[in-house]
Amino acid sequence: MAVSKKTIIKNAALAKVIDSSLTNLEAATANGAKALALATKNSKQSSAEGKRLSKKRMTLIKRRKTAAAKVKKDPIAANKKALSAVDKELTAIRKAAAKNKTVKAANFEELSGLRVSCRRLSAYSKAIASADRVLNKPKKKTRRRKAA
């Protein structure tokens, strides 16, 4: 029977693999932090945009109500034109708000995934750091016993 020879990894190669893995973990942690910061910034921007659009929508609804009352009271062309202008603006704001809502939902999904990934990376880094502290402790010196 032929016995297959399995190569045993050398210490230098193993140390190189460990070092490159630690470097990759550090790079992933840095990239994750950057991505999380950017996603948080985008999320805040969309949230502010949503608040702005909501406020604008509410003011347009009030303006539409007053314009409709004017048209009902005095149906002249100027009043009808003002009402149609408010309606056009209101539909545009509603479309923008709908788009913003989808963007916010996508940002939320991405942000939650990034947060989970960054927590994992942080936990791995902390575990490796504490293991390194334990492994790199200096050896205790033992005293020689006196000859009896």
Side-chain angles (χ1 to χ4, degrees), residues 30-49:
N31 290 341
K34 286 178 188 174
L36 185 63
L38 187 65
T40 305
K41 181 182 173 188
N42 288 344
S43 177
K44 285 180 181 177
Q45 282 177 345
S46 352
S47 186
E49 178 75 11

Side-chain angles (χ1 to χ4, degrees), residues 14-128:
L14 188 60
K16 186 177 180 184
V17 168
I18 292 170
D19 289 341
S20 66
S21 298
L22 290 174
T23 305
N24 288 342
L25 182 67
E26 290 169 3
T29 304
N31 290 341
K34 286 178 188 174
L36 185 63
L38 187 65
T40 305
K41 181 182 173 188
N42 288 344
S43 177
K44 285 180 181 177
Q45 282 177 345
S46 352
S47 186
E49 178 75 11
K51 286 179 184 175
R52 186 186 67 78
L53 289 171
S54 178
K55 190 174 181 182
K56 178 112 175 171
R57 190 177 130 272
M58 291 309 294
T59 56
L60 284 173
I61 288 173
K62 288 176 187 174
R63 193 181 304 162
R64 184 184 184 282
K65 190 175 178 182
T66 57
K70 279 185 181 179
V71 166
K72 194 172 186 182
K73 188 176 182 182
D74 188 18
I76 59 173
N79 289 346
K80 288 180 181 178
K81 194 173 185 180
L83 180 63
S84 67
V86 170
D87 280 340
K88 284 180 186 175
E89 199 173 348
L90 191 58
T91 54
I93 290 295
R94 284 186 176 143
K95 282 182 186 176
K99 282 182 186 176
N100 186 46
K101 192 174 184 180
T102 57
V103 167
K104 273 175 65 173
N107 282 349
F108 179 77
E109 289 295 321
E110 183 67 19
L111 192 59
S112 350
L114 282 171
R115 282 186 180 136
V116 169
S117 297
C118 282
R119 268 191 235 119
R120 283 180 61 200
L121 286 168
S122 175
Y124 293 150
S125 296
K126 285 178 184 174
I128 289 173

